[in-house]
Amino acid sequence: MSYIAVVDYGVGNLKSVSNAFAYLGIETKITGDPDELELAQAIVLPGVGAFPDAADKLRATGLDQSVVKQGRKKPVLGICLGMQLLLDRGEEVRPCPGLGVIKGVCARIPTEEKLPHIGWNSLTFPSRSPLFEGVDEGSYVYFVHSFSAQHTDPDQVSAVSQYGVPVIAAVQNGNFFGCQFHPEKSGETGLAILQNFAGLTR
């Protein structure tokens, strides 16, 4: 049986991601078992909450090493906190190492706008990623966050939004993809992005 593994490491947002894929007719398995990540066609690392808590839980279960290992041969998508965890480190609450597969630091958005940033913002694409195939420039997606990727390699930035300052909305490095926004809550645009991700397994 083929499926996309939705990584369960004790940080919410699992069911909504799984439901969005189900709507598209795509099989998922919510799992915290590294062996099941090995068997999956692709991996989604979702999450809401604080960076250090999530990073500690990933390390405690060995899921951190498993996600990195599997990303060498199959697509991995980090969503919101999941994208932040792909970075070199986080600065929320305390300095904490991330998975180190995307260059950059997770830090508070340096904006004078109200935080957390909650709502719909449009995307621009400094470089085209297969994640956004068929998605129009200026399409709107849904954000909920106070922290974002910063000091990132420009070549790894695939989408940008604006919230008083430019905010990195999506990243890619090889098989590793990240969305700071929530595609599972972003209507038809979000579903198209998830469909594109699933299509990378073919």
Side-chain angles (χ1 to χ4, degrees), residues 2 75 81 88 99 103 136 151 166 171 180-182 191 194:
S2 62
L81 175 59
D88 294 320
L99 299 185
K103 180 177 173 58
D136 292 336
H151 310 296
V171 291
Q180 181 58 66
F181 56 91
H182 288 270
L191 290 173
L194 294 179

Side-chain angles (χ1 to χ4, degrees), residues 77-84 86 102 109 117 121-126 129 131-132 139-145 147-150 152 156-163 165-172 177-183 186 193:
L77 174 63
I79 295 175
C80 195
L81 175 59
M83 170 182 146
Q84 296 170 1
L86 299 179
I102 299 287
I109 304 169
H117 166 213
N121 267 357
S122 62
L123 300 175
T124 57
F125 304 122
S129 164
L131 209 59
F132 300 107
S139 293
Y140 279 77
V141 292
Y142 189 77
F143 291 83
V144 183
H145 66 128
F147 290 77
S148 68
Q150 297 170 37
T152 301
Q156 296 180 352
V157 176
S158 54
V160 175
S161 192
Q162 295 286 330
Y163 192 63
V165 295
V167 173
I168 295 172
V171 291
Q172 179 187 352
F177 300 82
C179 294
Q180 181 58 66
F181 56 91
H182 288 270
S186 296
I193 292 166

Side-chain angles (χ1 to χ4, degrees), residues 13-37:
N13 198 41
L14 304 172
K15 200 65 179 174
S16 60
V17 172
S18 186
N19 287 343
F21 280 112
Y23 180 84
L24 294 168
I26 297 165
E27 184 78 24
T28 61
K29 181 180 285 189
I30 295 174
T31 180
D33 183 348
D35 290 339
E36 290 189 332
L37 302 192

Side-chain angles (χ1 to χ4, degrees), residues 46-89:
V48 292
F51 187 108
D53 294 341
D56 289 349
K57 288 174 182 176
L58 283 174
R59 280 193 293 274
T61 56
L63 286 166
D64 59 337
Q65 295 179 25
S66 183
V67 169
V68 173
K69 177 183 176 183
Q70 296 307 316
R72 298 191 183 107
K73 53 190 176 182
K74 65 185 67 168
V76 174
L77 174 63
I79 295 175
C80 195
L81 175 59
M83 170 182 146
Q84 296 170 1
L85 290 166
L86 299 179
L87 300 169
D88 294 320
R89 72 176 193 276

